[in-house]
Amino acid sequence: YLMNLASPNNRVRIPSRKTLALTVVAAEAIGALGVIVHGGSVGEDEEIEVGFERWRKALDSFEVTVPILVENTAGRGNSVMQDIHNYGPLWAAIGDLNVGVCLDTCHTWAAGQDMENAVSIIGEMTGGIALVHANDSRDEFGSNRDRHANFGQGQIPEDLVPNIIRQANTTAIVETPNDDNGQAADIAWLRSKLA
């Protein structure tokens, strides 16, 4: 998977910009509501701040006609959006453009972030959350492993994901495994919790 707008490697970063620009054009053509992009990673010996600058350069290189939703990640160390507090400095760099936030619950849990307050923390820095990726996490809190699980089969306490969706007051998409129609069961479970 090539997309890394924060990469120190020009052979990754520049094609990532071009791919995103083409994706935005295609998204606009089909009437998509947004394009979701992970924050990417800087070099192991670099400060995270260079990632914010690279994001700005990437988005300045084309017309952002469809909202770009920046998704938090489960990774560690040099991952630009592993820490949800990084939305603040990223928004200082790109917040005047057509951007929004996609909050992934599995990634938030796996990154060891404050799930009870994630919506208010991010909202204060960005103005709100545009989309929630609603998932349980197969692995423990702070594992840095991006392994989605069906609700009730993972490690996230039962009320946290519905509470995030309620607080965010936005659309949620379920990205859980679909073995034995698991997604349908997860959607029904979430709807019952949010009723």
Side-chain angles (χ1 to χ4, degrees), residues 26-85:
E28 183 180 23
I30 64 169
L33 299 177
V35 173
I36 299 169
V37 183
H38 289 172
S41 300
V42 297
E44 291 182 17
D45 58 343
E46 294 183 305
E47 297 294 325
I48 291 293
E49 289 75 18
V50 300
F52 310 140
E53 297 165 16
R54 289 175 182 153
W55 260 89
R56 180 64 198 211
K57 287 179 182 175
L59 298 187
D60 278 343
S61 70
F62 64 93
E63 188 178 354
V64 185
T65 55
V66 173
I68 305 246
L69 306 183
V70 183
E71 183 175 347
N72 62 313
T73 55
R76 64 178 111 193
N78 60 341
S79 296
V80 174
M81 296 312 302
Q82 180 263 342
D83 184 343
I84 60 173
H85 292 91

Side-chain angles (χ1 to χ4, degrees), residues 7 41 43 56-57 64 92-93 104 109 116 130 137 146 148 179 187:
S7 175
S41 300
R56 180 64 198 211
K57 287 179 182 175
V64 185
D104 187 296
W109 174 265
E116 289 183 4
S137 175
D146 180 6
H148 296 194
D179 303 333
I187 291 167

Side-chain angles (χ1 to χ4, degrees), residues 1-12:
Y1 180 68
L2 175 64
M3 188 67 68
N4 183 357
L5 298 175
S7 175
N9 185 338
N10 284 341
R11 290 189 213 175
V12 173

